Amino acid sequence: MSGAMYYMDFDEIKVTYIIVGKLVNQTPLSIGSGRGAFGAVDNPIVRLNNIPYIPGSSLKGVLRSEAERYVKTLSPSEFVCDIFNPTDENKGELALKDKQKENYNPCIICRIFGGPTIASHLRVRNAMALSPYRTEMRTSVSINRITGGQYPGRLYDIEYVVPLTKFDFLMEVENIDLLGKSKEAEVANYLIAFLMSGNAWLGGRKSIGMGNVKLTEVRVRKIGLKRDKFVEEDVSEEFLKEVIK
């Protein structure tokens, strides 16, 4: 059983990678806090202590979706849990309910991001906007989906963070050796390259060009056990060579 449960390896610290950098929105960014009943703005952005931020859950959700696309595209034989068919016997994590754990084999996405019965090996912190930052509002008009024309007089405001704002990025990867040759490392490294390529989109109004972000100024620290001591080392150069090929 121990060999089959290697993905549940949180009982000891094997290796931890801390990836830091700056997320920069290439276009206006609008991650809404929900339409309020009262207020000057119809669609305000999320704030924490009055500072705009990108929720770690939002960023992690985008990364998980991209990881699924990557695995399905380049590794068709690798099964990925089907959230629309959770009782399928061959769909791993979401099919655990009526199976014995000894025979359980989660998909690679669940092994990285976690699931109903597995903790995540990847943690993404809230990305806070760094000073100076500025927000603006755009007025839009409601469209009648039947006629394709506008609803006369139905205007609403959208708040957004102006382009080229920097957000503080931090991701922790636990017990996946990003400099190793595992499939999990391959997927995790692809996700960093994906963020660095500037192809990630966050928040609302993506169909009209909002929410394009890019990861810059990347630094990577590795924490591992050497000679019975935990050692932290900067592996940025080695890691970036592995990621940017």
Side-chain angles (χ1 to χ4, degrees):
M1 181 175 174
S2 59
M5 301 294 284
Y6 70 94
Y7 49 86
M8 300 178 72
D9 55 0
F10 294 102
D11 56 334
E12 61 181 277
I13 302 173
K14 296 178 180 178
V15 63
T16 300
Y17 285 85
I18 301 174
I19 304 164
V20 298
K22 301 293 184 292
L23 273 177
V24 181
N25 58 318
Q26 307 296 299
T27 62
L29 175 65
S30 178
I31 301 179
S33 62
R35 195 181 184 97
F38 302 98
V41 182
D42 296 316
N43 296 276
I45 60 172
V46 292
R47 286 179 168 82
L48 186 61
N49 296 326
N50 208 35
I51 300 174
Y53 75 104
I54 299 172
S57 57
S58 297
L59 186 53
K60 189 176 179 182
V62 168
L63 293 178
R64 182 166 189 148
S65 295
E66 183 63 23
E68 291 177 358
R69 292 205 315 155
Y70 175 77
V71 171
K72 290 177 180 178
T73 301
L74 296 186
S75 303
S77 61
E78 187 88 42
F79 77 86
V80 174
C81 289
D82 184 357
I83 62 173
F84 298 108
N85 190 14
T87 59
D88 191 316
E89 292 183 357
N90 299 315
K91 296 304 180 183
E93 166 66 12
L94 296 175
L96 181 60
K97 182 178 179 181
D98 298 320
K99 300 178 67 178
Q100 295 295 322
K101 289 186 178 181
E102 288 81 358
N103 300 321
Y104 168 50
N105 182 30
C107 77
I108 186 171
I109 303 302
C110 291
R111 296 201 300 267
I112 298 172
F113 287 89
T117 61
I118 306 175
S120 177
H121 284 75
L122 187 151
R123 293 184 292 271
V124 182
R125 303 282 183 88
N126 291 337
M128 306 299 297
L130 301 174
S131 295
Y133 59 82
R134 193 174 82 253
T135 65
E136 294 180 353
M137 286 190 293
R138 176 184 297 178
T139 300
S140 299
V141 62
S142 297
I143 300 298
N144 187 315
R145 296 184 179 181
I146 298 176
T147 66
Q150 70 177 41
Y151 275 113
R154 294 194 182 182
L155 302 177
Y156 62 93
D157 295 323
I158 300 171
E159 186 180 24
Y160 61 88
V161 181
V162 300
L164 303 183
T165 300
K166 290 186 177 182
F167 295 80
D168 210 1
F169 173 85
L170 190 151
M171 174 191 291
E172 297 177 11
V173 181
E174 184 175 354
N175 288 354
I176 296 177
D177 188 357
L178 299 183
L179 297 178
K181 301 299 180 182
S182 70
K183 189 70 176 179
E184 291 84 355
E186 177 190 339
V187 175
N189 290 344
Y190 164 77
L191 294 176
I192 298 301
F194 167 70
L195 288 175
M196 294 176 64
S197 70
N199 289 320
W201 296 81
L202 297 169
R205 282 80 188 181
K206 294 186 286 290
S207 63
I208 59 172
M210 285 189 170
N212 181 230
V213 298
K214 182 176 183 178
L215 181 61
T216 64
E217 303 178 42
V218 177
R219 304 298 299 174
V220 182
R221 304 196 306 275
K222 178 182 178 181
I223 302 174
L225 197 62
K226 287 187 177 180
R227 302 184 191 90
D228 298 324
K229 291 184 177 180
F230 281 105
V231 176
E232 181 174 334
E233 53 185 328
D234 188 322
V235 294
S236 302
E237 184 176 351
E238 184 180 0
F239 176 82
L240 292 175
K241 283 182 179 179
E242 182 70 22
V243 169
I244 305 175
K245 294 181 179 179

